Amino acid sequence: MTSEAKRRYDALPHPQVVVVGGGFAGLELIKRLEGAPYKVLLLDKHNHHCFQPLLYQVATASLSADSIAHPFRRTVAPMPNVAFRMARVLSVKPQEKRVVTDHGEFAYDILVLATGSTTNFFGNAQLEREAMQLKSIGQALDIRSDFLQDFEAALYAQDEAGQRRCLNFTIVGGGPTGVELAGALAEIRRTVLKREYRELDSDRMQIWLVDSNDRVLKNFSEQASAHALAYLQDMGVNVKFGARVTGYDGDVVTFQDGSTMDSNTLIWAAGVKGVTLPGLEAAEVPKANRYHVDRFNQLQGVPEVFALGDVALMAEGKWERGHPQVATAAIQQARLLADNLNRRAKGGAMRPFTYTDKGSMATIGRYKAVVDVGRLHWGGFVAWLLWMFVHLMALVGYRNRLQVLAAWAWKYLSWKNTIRLIIRPYIRRSAQQVVEVPQG
Ligand SMILES: Cc1cc2nc3c(=O)[nH]c(=O)nc-3n(C[C@H](O)[C@H](O)[C@H](O)COP(=O)(O)OP(=O)(O)OC[C@H]3O[C@@H](n4cnc5c(N)ncnc54)[C@H](O)[C@@H]3O)c2cc1C
């Protein structure tokens, strides 16, 4: 904003809407409030929106980080009634109608919480410290550096056992993230490791996908789960069902039954929990880490505070325990809230939310995917094309779409994952030294 644009923004006579979080929900909301009789302020701890469904491709060297991210400033630049501040919201003071951030406090008339979710380690501090996770671009880049460093380290291992230790990857959680990551790593073994690390026997790289259930993609149809399992096994992924991971010290995975397994890398994709903020505890659903909202996405008992997306729990129709924590639910809720705020501004009544389930999809390596839409199911190449089209269209910004299309075309025609520079080496938590800083 130029100083003139800022002066005009500050002078707007409209109610102040503060939106916390520019993920799928927050971004959709601010876009739809452009030109509305509201003064909108977007706060996010990052300066960019992240397209999380393609994070695993950044982690596995298929896409560059900037092709799935979009700077907020570019989005809000043409919107006179919308401003952005990079700030981490620390708490909310609902009585005073203010949010507290690491850069001071901001007042609101209407507050919208769209803070999303974070990895859920279910209280296991050791797993939280040692496991890798995939919720942000930084974490995706860590995974990428880690597996490339492991490949290089394997070349220095003294014996076969040492090489196997470097090349043993465990992914916990057989949901879409775990399945997609496992498939992509299996593809890397078949292409990068086999062709470019000729001194290594690629069979020494083992990928384990561990789940406490008895099937992968448990929220998909049984047909989709069966197809996904067959694709994974065909690609040489070891799938371990009925196994609950209880510990990981950086080298050894421990299971609930007491058994153990060596693994140099463990990626935790076994659950998420909502990102809630201090000050609004009364509106939280116990244990769920989500805000209990009504059909208008309003927090129960907290005036003029709304929650959207992963952090909102709305009991509606068959979704008694809340909607699935997916992008489509976040976007649909944001669209209706924008519509409702506009109706309210004109003195109209708000409309209640009803979720339209548009189906689920996951891809497993090259040319294979599973898609469920209602009772319809597709697998294989057709599903993969559908998966590519939907993800391409959902990306924010034409530049990103073109960049991803070009990267995929190159990758699928040349069989090469090219983005493999170790620029920011990943240092495992267990290997990090705690440096005592002398006082005074
Ligand atoms: C690896 C992965 C793959 C996925 N694949 C799919 C898929 O294929 N299809 C699908 O539909 N869904 C998928 N999802 C789920 C989907 O990404 C989420 O449901 C969706 O992002 C939720 O949107 P949201 O707006 O609620 O939160 P998010 O998109 O997570 O956005 C939250 C925003 O809030 C910001 N924020 C959080 N806390 C603070 C704070 N204290 N202060 C300031 N800013 C804050 C964050 O920086 C972020 O920008 C996937 C998720 C992951 C992690």
Side-chain angles (χ1 to χ4, degrees):
M1 265 187 185
T2 60
S3 50
E4 174 55 18
K6 183 174 181 323
R7 195 191 56 73
R8 268 192 264 128
Y9 173 85
D10 288 342
L12 286 172
H14 309 314
Q16 177 76 63
V17 178
V18 171
V19 181
V20 185
F24 283 100
L27 197 67
E28 187 68 22
L29 182 75
I30 63 158
K31 282 183 185 168
R32 285 178 183 256
L33 288 179
E34 179 182 5
Y38 292 103
K39 206 160 102 176
V40 182
L41 174 65
L42 172 65
L43 300 174
D44 200 295
K45 60 185 174 182
H46 296 119
N47 77 336
H48 56 265
H49 167 80
C50 167
F51 189 80
Q52 294 178 16
L54 290 179
L55 270 176
Y56 84 96
Q57 293 218 0
V58 173
T60 51
S62 292
L63 291 175
S64 64
D66 64 326
S67 59
I68 67 156
H70 197 80
F72 291 125
R73 292 211 166 268
R74 203 187 303 156
T75 305
V76 307
M79 302 176 174
N81 67 323
V82 185
F84 168 70
R85 284 284 181 280
M86 187 168 146
R88 181 186 292 271
V89 176
L90 304 173
S91 64
V92 179
K93 295 177 178 170
Q95 311 295 345
E96 298 168 38
K97 288 196 159 187
R98 297 180 80 80
V99 291
V100 182
T101 79
D102 55 357
H103 286 82
E105 297 191 7
F106 294 89
Y108 65 82
D109 298 302
I110 295 169
L111 176 64
V112 183
L113 301 167
T115 43
S117 55
T118 185
T119 309
N120 192 353
F121 290 95
F122 304 98
N124 189 319
Q126 188 196 38
L127 281 170
E128 186 162 357
R129 194 177 60 244
E130 301 294 342
M132 306 194 80
Q133 43 182 311
L134 187 62
K135 279 297 284 179
S136 68
I137 285 181
Q139 290 164 352
L141 294 177
D142 282 346
I143 292 176
R144 182 156 100 195
S145 289
D146 180 70
F147 86 76
L148 291 169
Q149 286 166 234
D150 286 340
F151 286 3
E152 298 299 329
L155 291 167
Y156 290 103
Q158 300 299 320
D159 52 19
E160 185 186 326
Q163 286 192 348
R164 286 190 185 281
R165 258 197 306 280
C166 289
L167 298 175
N168 212 354
F169 296 87
T170 304
I171 300 162
V172 187
T177 302
V179 165
E180 292 184 335
L181 257 178
L185 280 175
E187 200 176 283
I188 282 173
R189 172 175 55 192
R190 198 167 48 166
T191 54
V192 176
L193 194 68
K194 201 165 189 161
R195 286 203 210 130
E196 298 182 18
Y197 291 79
R198 288 168 299 164
E199 305 96 309
L200 288 172
D201 176 354
S202 61
D203 288 343
R204 289 182 188 163
M205 175 176 173
Q206 291 296 316
I207 302 149
W208 293 89
L209 182 62
V210 178
D211 200 297
S212 56
N213 293 291
D214 57 1
R215 64 175 173 124
V216 291
L217 302 179
K218 75 173 164 49
N219 294 328
F220 286 52
S221 65
E222 291 202 4
Q223 215 178 350
S225 295
H227 272 133
L229 179 63
Y231 297 153
L232 287 167
Q233 288 175 333
D234 189 43
M235 295 175 83
V237 174
N238 307 294
V239 184
K240 202 171 156 72
F241 287 128
R244 194 176 289 277
V245 171
T246 54
Y248 178 60
D249 65 4
D251 292 313
V252 179
V253 187
T254 308
F255 296 93
Q256 195 171 32
D257 63 5
S259 60
T260 58
M261 181 169 78
D262 286 349
S263 191
N264 209 24
T265 300
L266 182 138
I267 302 169
W268 186 260
V272 294
K273 59 180 183 182
V275 177
T276 51
L277 295 167
L280 294 171
E281 289 82 359
E284 273 183 45
V285 179
K287 291 191 188 154
N289 279 87
R290 293 168 90 179
Y291 292 118
H292 194 231
V293 295
D294 63 16
R295 299 275 304 274
F296 308 100
N297 284 92
Q298 287 184 121
L299 255 66
Q300 305 286 286
V302 195
E304 300 298 18
V305 180
F306 297 79
L308 297 172
D310 279 8
V311 77
L313 195 155
M314 179 194 299
E316 175 252 317
K318 72 169 186 171
W319 311 101
E320 278 173 15
R321 297 169 67 187
H323 301 114
Q325 286 164 296
V326 293
T328 38
I331 292 170
Q332 288 178 27
Q333 289 177 1
R335 281 184 187 158
L336 185 70
L337 181 59
D339 193 34
N340 277 337
L341 289 178
N342 282 325
R343 282 165 175 269
R344 219 172 72 158
K346 291 179 191 147
M350 299 207 288
R351 287 186 301 134
F353 180 78
T354 305
Y355 178 53
T356 307
D357 185 1
K358 295 200 169 158
S360 315
M361 48 176 63
T363 181
I364 305 106
R366 177 185 295 258
Y367 305 140
K368 291 187 195 106
V370 288
V371 175
D372 282 337
V373 180
R375 290 197 184 150
L376 296 176
H377 167 77
W378 292 274
F381 188 64
V382 174
W384 183 72
L385 286 178
L386 206 58
W387 178 92
M388 281 214 301
F389 178 75
V390 168
H391 283 75
L392 213 49
M393 290 297 106
L395 273 165
V396 178
Y398 292 110
R399 177 187 163 276
N400 287 14
R401 283 184 205 157
L402 270 177
Q403 211 174 333
V404 170
L405 182 65
W408 283 349
W410 172 255
K411 182 184 154 189
Y412 292 124
L413 293 174
S414 72
W415 289 81
K416 284 182 182 137
N417 293 49
T418 44
I419 308 154
R420 284 186 284 111
L421 311 184
I422 303 172
I423 292 173
R424 193 192 63 165
Y426 173 66
I427 304 168
R428 287 159 195 280
R429 289 278 181 88
S430 47
Q432 284 173 14
Q433 286 182 2
V434 179
V435 180
E436 294 284 338
V437 181
Q439 300 295 308

